[in-house]
Amino acid sequence: MVETKNLIFEQKLLEFKGTYGLASRYEEEFKIRWYHDFLRPLVTPFLYGGDFMRKELAEKLLPGLKHDVKYYENLYPKRNLADGAIVTRYAPSPTGFVHIGNLFQLYISGKLARQTKGVNFLRIEDTDQERLVENGIDRIINDVKAFNITFDEGPINQTEQKGEYGPYIQSQRKEIYQTYAKDLLLKDLAYPDFTTKEEVEAMRKEQVASKRRIGYYGKWARSRFLSEAEIEQNLKENKPYIIRLRNMGDYNRKITFVDAIKGRIEFPEDDIDQVIIKNDGLPTYHFAHVIDDHLMQTTHVIRGDEWLSSVPIHLNLFKTLGFTPPTYAHIPPLSKKEGNTVRKLSKRKDPELAVSYYDEKGIPAQTLMLYLATVANSNFEEWYQEHPDEDIENFNLTFEKIGTSAALFDMEKLLNISKNILSKMTALEIYQNTLNWAQKYDEAFAKVLEANQDIAVKTLNIERESAKPRKDFSMYSEVKENIYYMFDELFTNESYEWQKITDLTEIKEILNVYLDNYYDPSDDEEVWFNKIKEMCDKLGYAANMKEYKKNPENFKGNVADVSTVIRVALTTKARTPNLYDIMQILGTEKIKDRFSKIK
Ligand code: GLU
């Protein structure tokens, strides 16, 4: 008789194992789950009118909720968008500053949303209340505004929000998460956990010692097996608790999903009884993500690939809650080559990860966005070469062309892009932007620029409006070293970059002869140069380069050496934009003054 009973039990157990895919679990665990996951679900609903847990008990665990899940399911209108429209979001925690990894993600999500006439909204994930910084929301919004990034919906400042799917700040959605958690409690898909930190720690040690997987799952998920009487008792004793998911997954089963960037991916199913509501009543990231992206009707979750390993948790939550999951697209981290290795950019080691770095250097926002576009899609550069004057908005960004592993960040390339961008600006734009930069970072230079706008703009305009404009600088902080010599206030540099002719007596001789006999500010460029050549003949330098090359020994040097003397005397530099233009802008007084400084 006893034997038959045992046989029936074993038989049931096998069926149960099959149903739940628990083949590799321990017997002891099966016995517990046999009751909790198989028998109890069959019996309990009859006791509580369809619910698994008494309503009063669920109410005690998550008190004061005004609505049920149906209310929220009906609250938000269906998004009325065209087929293929991507609804995506930027979901930062307001715990610090925006970095270029965020901008990279924002470029991708914003662009794809615009391209498909979809929506890119901002959601503030502030459920970790301990890590918040003051005015965190304003900071995020301002940081990205500098890059021309705005959102279709979400907070617009610290206090206001726009959009029909809000609130867009998670701490303001506490009731919503709790309502869904309560629903899970009633469906026996969640339970309160009263385990103390010490108990969790002891469990962890035991798992390590017995070489088990770490975590709150299976038989280790001890609060899963509490009876209602025990729960009532714990509540009576005011024991703090969290709410966990009653996970029906099996680690030995595999789930697969298709990531829009990384392709098909396989993971073990999640079987951890994940925390969904923390002790402070707020949800965990995982739970909030799933509820929000369901209610806000996100079609694509585009985020950093540090979240890739959480996908099983999220897919399991979507399934348990009966929601359709979005498409995931995990972006590779911005990385850097170091010798033969590639490593992620790090806040600690790489100042260029901070957005503030670009502001301080005066690297324009459009440089960064253009560069990030280059990194995002492997075919962007080719497109840009073919369409150098087109708005980069016209490029068609695709998930398929986003790299799957590391997105290489190359500062040299970025600076080259910046040079190009600056070379295409008008002199007045450069002047204005440099002034704005200097007002923040170099007040003395700002004053000089303000007092000498005419000279500054004219100088910046030398060899600018042409098919091949000069590319002297890649950032506004480099403008000063390129034009300082035009301003008396800044002309204090005595380190002249003399080239071939270095003898000061000879230099002074050239300058004096030139000033006394050949310099005339009303000469046009051709006449001006011819006069320098004339002077060369007179002083024993070759006016004609061909002749010089034939018989260099016949000359003291050539016309290039002589004009370099004039150039260096005026600017201290051996390389400058067109000397004739510089002299025109400087004018006679300043030229005389500069020459007289050579002693
Ligand atoms: N709050 C998460 C973060 O800051 C968002 C991740 C996501 O986009 O889902 O990383």
Side-chain angles (χ1 to χ4, degrees), residues 166-191:
Y168 294 87
I169 298 176
Q170 287 186 332
S171 58
Q172 298 172 6
R173 301 171 63 79
K174 192 169 167 175
E175 279 221 28
I176 303 179
Y177 308 121
Q178 290 196 354
T179 303
Y180 280 89
K182 189 171 166 187
D183 193 56
L184 292 182
L185 283 173
L186 291 170
K187 288 179 173 151
D188 207 29
L189 290 169
Y191 62 86

Side-chain angles (χ1 to χ4, degrees), residues 89 91-93 105 123 125 285 289 301-303 306-307:
R89 78 291 192 281
S93 303
Q105 180 197 331
R123 183 172 70 225
E125 307 215 322
Y285 161 70
H289 150 50
V301 168
I302 302 171
R303 62 185 177 187
E306 68 274 19
W307 291 109

Side-chain angles (χ1 to χ4, degrees), residues 380-540:
F380 177 83
E381 245 176 307
E382 200 186 317
W383 175 87
Y384 191 62
Q385 266 161 16
E386 283 164 19
H387 308 84
D389 297 317
E390 225 171 284
D391 188 341
I392 64 166
E393 191 60 18
N394 298 339
F395 172 73
N396 190 48
L397 187 82
T398 57
F399 281 122
E400 293 73 32
K401 291 273 198 268
I402 297 176
T404 53
S405 47
L408 273 191
F409 190 81
D410 177 349
M411 200 57 179
E412 214 172 296
K413 205 163 168 187
L414 183 146
L415 293 180
N416 268 330
I417 287 182
S418 202
K419 270 190 181 157
N420 266 330
I421 289 189
L422 291 178
S423 76
K424 287 182 188 171
M425 288 183 184
T426 67
L428 191 61
E429 277 172 320
I430 295 274
Y431 169 81
Q432 203 55 56
N433 296 343
T434 307
L435 179 59
N436 291 344
W437 171 85
Q439 279 164 344
K440 217 161 152 190
Y441 297 108
D442 186 346
E443 269 179 53
F445 185 40
K447 285 208 176 97
V448 173
L449 286 173
E450 274 163 9
N452 301 283
Q453 173 165 353
D454 188 46
I455 295 180
V457 175
K458 279 185 178 151
T459 308
L460 290 166
N461 205 37
I462 303 175
E463 293 173 69
R464 177 163 292 276
E465 283 156 17
S466 67
K468 278 201 161 188
R470 290 186 68 88
K471 293 178 183 171
D472 291 319
F473 30 77
S474 50
M475 45 184 104
Y476 301 122
S477 57
E478 288 173 348
V479 170
K480 185 172 165 182
E481 70 202 46
N482 275 281
I483 64 165
Y484 73 91
Y485 49 78
M486 299 304 286
F487 312 104
D488 293 342
E489 299 92 319
L490 301 176
F491 196 85
T492 50
N493 188 346
E494 303 280 301
S495 62
Y496 291 93
E497 296 174 3
W498 303 118
Q499 300 292 299
K500 274 270 268 303
I501 306 169
T502 52
D503 177 57
L504 277 181
T505 320
E506 180 67 9
I507 287 171
K508 277 190 280 185
E509 167 77 2
I510 293 172
L511 297 177
N512 288 336
V513 170
Y514 178 68
L515 205 54
D516 296 344
N517 308 298
Y518 297 95
Y519 171 68
D520 182 345
S522 60
D523 289 342
D524 67 18
E525 192 165 354
E526 205 184 330
V527 175
W528 165 83
F529 193 51
N530 284 338
K531 284 188 175 171
I532 294 179
K533 285 194 204 160
E534 260 175 54
M535 177 175 73
C536 285
D537 279 339
K538 188 99 177 198
L539 296 177

